Amino acid sequence: MAASQKNWKARLASLEKTAAASLARADVAPKLEKLQVRWLGRKGLLTQLLKELSRMSLADRRTLGPLAHRLKTDLTQQIEERKKRLRRESLQKKLQDISLDSSLPGVPCAVGSLHPITQVEREIVGVLSRLGFSVAQGPILETDEYNFQALNIPPDHPARDLQDTFYLADHPQLLLRTHTSPVQIRMLRAHRPPLRIAAPGRVFRHEATDASHGAVFHQVEGLYVDRRVCLADLKSTLAYLFRELLGPSTLLRFRPSYFPFTEPSAELDVGCLLCGGQGCSVCKKSGWLEMLGAGMVHPKVFEQAGYSGSEWSGFAFGMSVERLAMLKLRIPDIRLLYENDMRFLEQF
Ligand code: DAH
């Protein structure tokens, strides 16, 4: 072995010998980094030795190469371990310096929840979907045709009164829908029966607000169209819906009524939830609460949607979500639902 190779070997050995001691003395991260550069950097001692090695004979490279590479692996590993240890130690020291009081209360983590209107709306739609109804939606900005004409509400009908309907100032044919019933027409025109549709959504009425009326509220519309649908289907569907929503012993009463888009028409009352039928201020001493309007789809509505009335029959109903929410959750004033007062909302 030539003198230069001997010298190479000696330099490698001395590097190996001093490395351990230097590492042990490196007690902070910057010192470690310096060592890493000094040994393994681009101009580092070991890098230098490896470079020289590449100029030696094949035989020397075979004997000396593995020595240099082993040292390189060793040093890299030791530096890494040392770094980890220093990080661990400094963390431990930091933790020791912090004095922990485990008796302090935790920081509360606020959990959000659904608005009571959303909760009740989902409950209604949930029951209907178990009966095979699918959810449909229509636009809030409607045309006079869908909101009124196609529902057999003639131009002089009191429901169209300027007092009740918000029309768009520049577009007299556009309005904010006053009910979810126009979704019936949209669905009838877009799909062929059999149809079972639940349409929840916001509606608007130009009315003074008080404890039980808001200018904006929510309805859920139901529409069921098939062959030979009869009034008994409507009654049993609504009975199932309300006994699911309010309990199996809920009393129900159907009353004849009038809507232009149904014939016959009915309203559904439930036995007062607050007084159990005894008579109180909520049911105005009658023992009953009005829940919704319903009826058999009027032949004119089928006609408007392009159906032959003799083939198809159906029922429809529409109810206010706010009204049911107020009764179910014992909320005395509809305005509470729109004030977004956390103290109120957190109760549901
Ligand atoms: N659209 C009516 C309203 O807002 C409620 C209603 C009554 C809907 C009878 C219906 C129905 O589908 O058949 O007052």
Side-chain angles (χ1 to χ4, degrees), residues 20-250:
S22 311
L23 266 178
R25 276 196 307 274
D27 50 2
V28 285
K31 282 192 192 165
L32 256 184
E33 255 133 52
K34 246 188 213 154
L35 287 178
Q36 191 167 16
V37 173
R38 193 192 312 154
W39 299 332
L40 302 167
R42 225 153 31 88
K43 291 183 182 151
L45 292 172
L46 189 57
T47 316
Q48 202 59 42
L49 286 169
L50 281 164
K51 261 189 213 150
E52 288 171 27
L53 186 69
S54 67
R55 290 192 291 269
M56 293 184 195
S57 70
L58 183 63
D60 285 346
R61 291 210 304 269
R62 282 222 173 109
T63 50
L64 301 178
L67 298 178
H69 283 291
R70 188 174 42 72
L71 184 59
K72 186 174 177 181
T73 319
D74 277 359
L75 288 180
T76 312
Q77 203 180 336
Q78 281 175 38
I79 291 171
E80 272 320 301
E81 269 164 22
R82 185 88 186 136
K83 270 189 193 165
K84 265 193 221 151
R85 199 168 133 193
L86 287 179
R87 267 200 299 267
R88 219 175 24 240
E89 281 170 2
S90 93
L91 181 65
Q92 240 147 24
K93 192 165 168 341
K94 263 190 214 147
L95 286 175
Q96 265 164 10
D97 291 348
I98 303 170
S99 59
L100 278 179
D101 180 352
S102 59
S103 69
L104 282 175
V107 181
C109 174
V111 178
S113 64
L114 294 174
H115 191 280
I117 291 178
T118 309
Q119 288 179 29
V120 172
E121 182 182 285
R122 288 196 184 181
E123 224 180 298
I124 300 167
V125 172
V127 178
L128 291 171
S129 66
R130 292 206 291 282
L131 289 174
F133 286 73
S134 43
V135 177
Q137 251 155 2
I140 279 167
L141 195 59
E142 261 299 0
T143 61
D144 185 275
E145 193 205 337
Y146 279 103
N147 197 80
F148 294 127
Q149 288 165 52
L151 287 161
N152 194 31
I153 304 176
D156 52 358
H157 194 279
R160 306 176 65 133
D161 202 311
L162 277 172
Q163 309 250 295
D164 291 323
T165 310
F166 287 110
Y167 289 93
L168 259 68
D170 318 337
H171 300 273
Q173 287 309 302
L174 290 179
L175 46 87
L176 294 175
R177 66 178 179 192
T178 57
H179 50 180
T180 42
S181 301
V183 186
Q184 288 188 35
I185 307 297
R186 292 188 174 271
M187 292 300 124
L188 283 169
R189 288 189 181 170
H191 305 282
R192 297 275 100 190
L195 277 178
R196 290 172 201 187
I197 275 151
R202 237 181 317 162
V203 301
F204 306 82
R205 303 237 174 123
H206 193 285
E207 290 181 332
T209 45
D210 61 27
S212 49
H213 297 88
V216 184
F217 61 102
H218 296 75
Q219 287 188 333
V220 174
E221 189 83 11
L223 175 68
Y224 188 118
V225 179
D226 206 334
R227 292 190 172 85
R228 290 195 296 276
V229 178
C230 65
L231 198 62
D233 298 320
L234 170 61
K235 284 184 76 173
S236 61
T237 302
L238 293 180
Y240 178 78
L241 174 62
F242 279 87
R243 293 197 169 124
E244 284 293 296
L245 292 171
L246 300 173
S249 53
T250 305

